[in-house]
Amino acid sequence: MNHIALLMENQPGALSRVIGLFSQRGYNIDSLSVAPTQDETLSRLTMTIGEEGADINQILKQLYKLVDVVMVQNLSEADALTLELAIIKLNKTKADVEGLIKNYEFEREILDEKDNYTVFKVLGDTQEIENLLSELKKEEFLEVTRSGTLGITKGNESLATNDQTKISYD
Amino acid sequence: MAKVMTSGGEALIKALADENVDIIFGYPGGAALHIYDAIYQQDRVQHILVRHEQAATHAADGFARATGKPGVCLVTSGPGATNAITGIATAYMDSIPLVVISGQVPNHLIGTDAFQETDMMGISRPIVKHSFLVQKPEEIPVIVKKAFHIATSGRPGPVVIDVPKNLTDPNEKFEYKFPSDLYLRSFALYDEAENSEVKKAVKLLTEAERPVIYAGGGAINSNAAEEIYEFGKLMGCPVTNTLMGLGVYPASDEQFVGMLGMHGTYEANMVMHEADLIMAIGARFDDRITNNPNKFGLQAKKIHIDSDPSSIDKIIDVDVAMTGNAKKVISQINKELKAMNFDNKKFDPWMKKAMQWRADHGLNHNMLDQKNPGDIILPQQVIQSAYKATDGKAFVTSDVGQHQMFAAQYYHFNEPRKWINSGGLGTMGFGLPAAMGVKFAFPDETVACITGEGSIQMCIQELSTCGQYGLPIKIINLNNRALGMVKQWQDMQYGGRYSSISYEDSLPDFIKLAESYGHVGMKVEKLSELEAAMEECFALKNKLVFLDVYVDPDEHVYPMLKAGGDMSEMYLSKTEKTFE
């Protein structure tokens, strides 16, 4: 699984160029999250490519070639933090839900509950959320919504607009 | 300086003029009318009225390929925009700098399914280098400047500017300012290669035993012909060009082994297969070159020079990757080779081997000397005759199919930008409008369109444009009364089941057709009359001549690589092949 961070111009059509590239070149995106940054002229995306054997270097190069794309970074090759939020609605009581998730490490919070259902959020590692969801498959599941993975590198460096992405040919 | 006040439409045309554009190809319509009114009121930019928007894009494309300058076209919204799509895709696949301006419905109607509304940004997105939807009329000059910069820099390509009609309103004026500088955030361009990479490349080049230089369209785009010639001479090894690269290394040079690939020469494909070093310059290891990529160049180390990093390691992994401008990178390498006084004598046996391959199964370039049963004309003879009549100096455009391959094989291009064809997309209908673009750029040069009776009918309406502007193009129609390349495949792979390839009874009389547009039509059916007719065709300097040549309908293009094979596995004729 690869997490890619990308800065792009906050322009109409920029997002469709990024998404379009994936379908056009036959790559799959597992998750995608996008929002403006502190600089309102830039949007930041984090996307996850789960596909085994995907040529990540080729994907990075194609992304960087887009004029609206300002920076690309493969977070999976950097020392990076990743985080995902999921909001889950189950046909379960609060007590049952707490029992189900007690062995997981992610942050959790009950957001809404009545006799026959519970809405709760979990915040943590994508893989852990995947594990929980596959465990919940056998439960009476109503809904789940996920933010997609967000990621940022550790340390005091940042995805800067004037840098060029180092894309290796190895 | 006094303030210059312009409308959006005026600003657009003025900005084109300020970008040194003197000719644009287009077709008017509702959403573009304000722009057309602005064209009418100035004389710096000439507008050429075509008969179909596809032809506007191909003509601009032909102009760009011949000159190296960006081609410009202007179309209206909706059908005007969609008709331009094939031409944009053609330019995109061959990395040709094009700026396509499309009218759009007024802003307040966008998204309402208005009359002649099409989401041009959306439908063109996968086939443009970049596109702009104008949001404010004041930004038009900056957008034009950006569009030209993006279209022409790095790996060139088409750029679309979509202009909503209300933003070109003649009554809304603003101050015109053409930018002197440009700011594009993180727009990466590659120039010279890193010295360490140059050193690595030179080491591989000089240590090789059987090197080959394989140059493509990127070498032409970066105007690297002179440097590549010098490099070829420093190396003294075989040189091959792709379909897109023909002319970047002179075809008459003794080291030139011809075009490589699907219908490349026997010697070029053998050289590629047996080489121990492949030096790719502005070429992208396309599937028509490599054949089966898993069997490609297995004995060879590879060096790849390309202005687009995403072309490198895309199909074939290489040993030395040099992202940069081919002209500059080859200069760097030449400098190193000269500094070390490299002695290329050791490549002589390898060069000799290439010449032996040529002697064994090379193309016969003297087919005009042969007689055919029934005085029938072979298509190869038509190309050789055209070459002879033009002294090899014409600009040659082509369409797509057998005639294109014959032209590539038999017309020897000694200079870049003389061979103009749709290599990547393979667009039938390209030849005639492209020839118009070339003729506008070089009115005093001979421009021939080598085509077939299938392709020419895809943009034949442009005979009218040629009449209007007096363009004496020579159309050499290799008429085999069928879709020849499709027929060849049906012969070779579908047991001769000719599905939907013939229209013999319904072909137009091309002579009368040409005449009805005010041109000259000539027909040749006998080999004994071919050369005289060809001479006459090119001698009519001020007339468009449609030379309709009846050729052998059963001829195939050879060599032809075996599907899924390596580069040494070729059909050499209907009865010979190099593999079991």
Side-chain angles (χ1 to χ4, degrees):
Chain A
M1 188 174 291
N2 284 276
H3 301 298
I4 294 174
L6 183 151
L7 280 178
M8 65 178 193
E9 300 286 349
N10 189 2
Q11 288 278 344
L15 182 60
S16 74
R17 289 181 216 274
V18 172
I19 310 273
L21 182 82
F22 279 79
S23 58
Q24 186 184 343
R25 300 263 171 199
Y27 316 137
N28 290 316
I29 308 178
D30 282 17
S31 80
L32 171 74
S33 90
V34 53
T37 63
Q38 76 286 3
D39 174 349
E40 72 277 6
T41 66
L42 291 173
S43 290
R44 182 171 173 128
L45 283 82
T46 315
M47 55 191 126
T48 304
I49 296 158
E51 203 178 335
E52 286 295 316
D55 186 347
I56 293 299
N57 258 333
Q58 178 63 211
I59 293 174
L60 293 173
K61 287 192 273 188
Q62 293 289 355
L63 284 169
Y64 191 57
K65 208 165 96 174
L66 296 173
V67 174
D68 280 339
V69 171
V70 167
M71 270 303 280
V72 193
Q73 185 176 31
N74 188 355
L75 293 173
S76 305
E77 282 187 356
D79 190 9
L81 303 161
T82 57
L83 198 58
E84 180 164 359
L85 170 71
I87 305 172
I88 301 169
K89 193 191 282 182
L90 290 185
N91 261 346
K92 290 264 173 209
T93 62
K94 182 182 169 189
D96 285 346
V97 166
E98 282 169 343
L100 272 170
I101 59 178
K102 68 173 187 299
N103 292 328
Y104 289 89
E105 285 182 5
F106 43 56
E107 284 179 52
R108 76 285 311 270
E109 185 185 346
I110 306 290
L111 302 172
D112 182 26
E113 49 130 354
K114 285 236 161 64
D115 321 334
N116 55 348
Y117 76 89
T118 303
V119 178
F120 62 103
K121 79 169 193 199
V122 296
L123 180 66
D125 179 63
T126 295
Q127 192 54 53
E128 221 188 348
I129 291 173
E130 298 271 353
N131 293 346
L132 171 70
L133 290 174
S134 73
E135 191 188 334
L136 289 180
K137 265 188 189 152
K138 55 184 187 288
E139 307 296 334
E140 284 185 63
F141 213 107
L142 289 172
E143 258 186 301
V144 61
T145 179
R146 300 168 64 177
S147 66
T149 309
L150 299 177
I152 200 161
T153 51
K154 292 181 183 169
N156 65 356
E157 289 182 354
S158 63
L159 260 192
T161 53
N162 295 322
D163 293 1
Q164 294 197 0
T165 319
K166 179 75 184 161
I167 294 166
S168 66
Y169 294 109
D170 303 325
Chain B
M1 240 167 71
K3 276 189 184 180
V4 180
M5 303 300 286
T6 59
S7 70
E10 289 162 347
L12 182 60
I13 300 304
K14 196 167 161 52
L16 291 179
D18 287 345
E19 270 293 336
N20 299 315
V21 172
D22 46 29
I23 190 166
I24 66 176
F25 302 87
Y27 205 103
L33 284 181
H34 294 331
I35 303 171
Y36 273 87
D37 193 48
I39 291 175
Y40 188 85
Q41 300 182 52
Q42 54 85 54
D43 57 7
R44 292 167 75 195
V45 179
Q46 186 193 6
H47 177 268
I48 304 303
L49 175 67
V50 293
R51 298 296 180 271
H52 187 291
E53 290 86 351
Q54 181 184 347
T57 51
H58 291 332
D61 181 322
F63 175 91
R65 290 181 203 235
T67 60
K69 294 192 280 192
V72 184
C73 47
L74 170 61
V75 298
T76 191
S77 64
T82 56
N83 279 347
I85 290 295
T86 299
I88 298 172
T90 303
Y92 181 72
M93 288 293 275
D94 289 342
S95 308
I96 305 302
L98 220 57
V99 173
V100 180
I101 299 157
S102 52
Q104 183 54 277
V105 300
N107 265 335
H108 71 275
L109 289 178
I110 289 181
T112 65
D113 301 321
F115 176 65
Q116 292 196 329
E117 182 187 0
T118 280
D119 175 12
M120 182 56 166
M121 294 290 284
I123 57 171
S124 65
R125 188 195 42 71
I127 51 164
V128 294
K129 189 169 172 192
H130 195 56
S131 47
F132 296 92
L133 175 62
V134 179
Q135 321 230 16
K136 285 182 261 166
E138 310 86 275
E139 63 184 22
I140 286 174
V142 175
I143 285 177
V144 168
K145 181 100 186 160
K146 281 185 183 175
F148 277 81
H149 182 73
I150 291 168
T152 53
S153 57
R155 180 180 183 175
V159 175
V160 162
I161 306 176
D162 202 30
V163 195
K165 184 174 186 180
N166 58 310
L167 303 185
T168 55
D169 188 335
N171 299 316
E172 289 188 23
K173 305 267 184 180
F174 58 92
E175 188 184 352
Y176 176 86
K177 272 190 254 168
F178 192 69
S180 49
D181 303 312
L182 198 58
Y183 180 65
L184 278 169
R185 191 150 48 182
S186 285
F187 185 71
L189 286 177
Y190 305 90
D191 200 31
E192 293 202 325
E194 288 181 27
N195 250 327
S196 56
E197 298 302 307
V198 175
K199 292 248 184 322
K200 268 195 244 172
V202 168
K203 186 164 186 290
L204 289 187
L205 286 163
T206 53
E207 285 176 359
E209 298 293 328
R210 302 184 306 282
V212 56
I213 300 167
Y214 144 55
I220 293 180
N221 277 340
S222 60
N223 298 314
E226 216 174 291
E227 288 74 12
I228 290 173
Y229 184 74
E230 187 182 18
F231 176 55
K233 290 295 146 191
L234 285 166
M235 289 295 291
C237 70
V239 182
T240 178
N241 288 340
T242 68
L243 177 67
M244 292 308 301
L246 290 176
V248 81
Y249 193 86
S252 56
D253 187 85
E254 57 192 359
Q255 284 165 245
F256 188 64
V257 292
M259 179 174 79
L260 76 164
M262 174 69 100
H263 293 296
T265 64
Y266 174 75
E267 57 269 31
N269 288 342
M270 290 306 291
V271 160
M272 289 295 284
H273 187 67
E274 297 284 334
D276 71 347
L277 179 74
I278 293 172
M279 172 76 170
I281 308 170
R284 57 186 174 89
F285 297 94
D286 168 86
D287 56 276
R288 285 295 186 272
I289 298 298
T290 61
N291 211 9
N292 185 339
N294 298 322
K295 298 178 184 173
F296 173 80
L298 297 180
Q299 308 172 44
K301 292 213 163 25
K302 290 143 198 125
I303 304 169
H304 191 177
I305 302 173
D306 208 290
S307 60
D308 175 2
S310 69
S311 279
I312 297 176
D313 288 345
K314 185 174 70 175
I315 311 286
I316 299 291
D317 286 338
V318 298
D319 299 276
V320 180
M322 309 172 90
T323 309
N325 175 301
K327 186 183 179 76
K328 298 203 171 147
V329 178
I330 295 293
S331 294
Q332 289 176 281
I333 291 172
N334 288 349
K335 206 171 145 195
E336 291 285 323
L337 288 173
K338 281 189 275 187
M340 65 193 284
N341 277 320
F342 175 62
D343 183 1
N344 63 30
K345 282 269 183 306
K346 68 167 177 167
F347 300 143
D348 286 356
W350 168 235
M351 196 63 231
K352 222 172 249 165
K353 195 166 182 187
M355 290 304 103
Q356 186 55 49
W357 279 321
R358 169 173 292 173
D360 292 344
H361 297 293
L363 299 172
N364 175 5
H365 291 291
N366 300 307
M367 290 173 74
L368 284 176
D369 301 339
Q370 81 187 44
K371 302 267 181 284
N372 305 328
D375 211 13
I376 196 170
I377 303 170
L378 292 174
Q380 298 91 328
Q381 293 172 315
V382 184
I383 310 297
Q384 292 180 12
S385 164
Y387 178 81
K388 202 171 153 189
T390 57
D391 208 13
K393 291 191 172 122
F395 282 93
V396 176
T397 72
S398 92
D399 278 298
V400 172
Q402 286 186 320
H403 67 268
Q404 176 191 28
M405 291 300 118
F406 287 130
Q409 290 176 331
Y410 291 93
Y411 197 101
H412 297 257
F413 294 95
N414 281 324
E415 290 170 67
R417 302 195 180 280
K418 286 288 180 87
W419 165 239
I420 288 166
N421 84 129
S422 165
L425 195 67
T427 307
M428 292 169 72
F430 175 80
L432 176 55
M436 300 186 327
V438 178
K439 193 68 189 170
F440 276 113
F442 296 99
D444 300 327
E445 303 284 327
T446 303
V447 181
C449 166
I450 293 179
T451 184
E453 83 294 327
S455 286
I456 191 67
Q457 291 191 82
M458 284 212 187
C459 271
I460 199 156
Q461 75 285 345
E462 296 309 314
L463 286 174
S464 176
T465 310
C466 293
Q468 181 174 352
Y469 296 96
L471 301 176
I473 292 161
K474 310 303 172 194
I475 298 171
I476 315 295
N477 188 36
L478 274 62
N479 190 338
N480 61 358
R481 283 83 70 205
L483 299 175
M485 189 59 92
V486 178
K487 186 179 174 193
Q488 174 168 348
W489 282 61
Q490 289 173 346
D491 275 330
M492 296 174 76
Q493 293 177 25
Y494 298 92
R497 293 185 296 280
Y498 296 141
S499 177
S500 302
I501 54 150
S502 85
Y503 33 52
E504 186 158 4
D505 296 338
S506 54
L507 276 178
D509 179 335
F510 287 111
I511 312 308
K512 282 189 192 157
L513 185 67
E515 285 169 359
S516 79
Y517 283 107
H519 304 308
V520 175
M522 291 163 59
K523 185 171 179 172
V524 196
E525 291 180 275
K526 294 179 182 148
L527 178 58
S528 52
E529 293 166 3
L530 174 65
E531 287 199 68
M534 194 66 79
E535 291 291 340
E536 192 186 341
C537 161
F538 283 101
L540 283 168
K541 290 282 176 220
N542 298 320
K543 288 300 239 180
L544 183 149
V545 182
F546 193 113
L547 184 64
D548 189 22
V549 190
Y550 271 46
V551 295
D552 183 352
D554 297 318
E555 187 64 1
H556 286 176
V557 182
Y558 294 108
M560 179 171 174
L561 290 172
K562 173 196 165 195
D566 64 41
M567 288 194 80
S568 74
E569 297 180 284
M570 286 170 264
Y571 297 94
L572 297 173
S573 71
K574 285 182 184 170
T575 52
E576 300 160 282
K577 52 187 184 180
T578 63
F579 57 93
E580 285 313 309

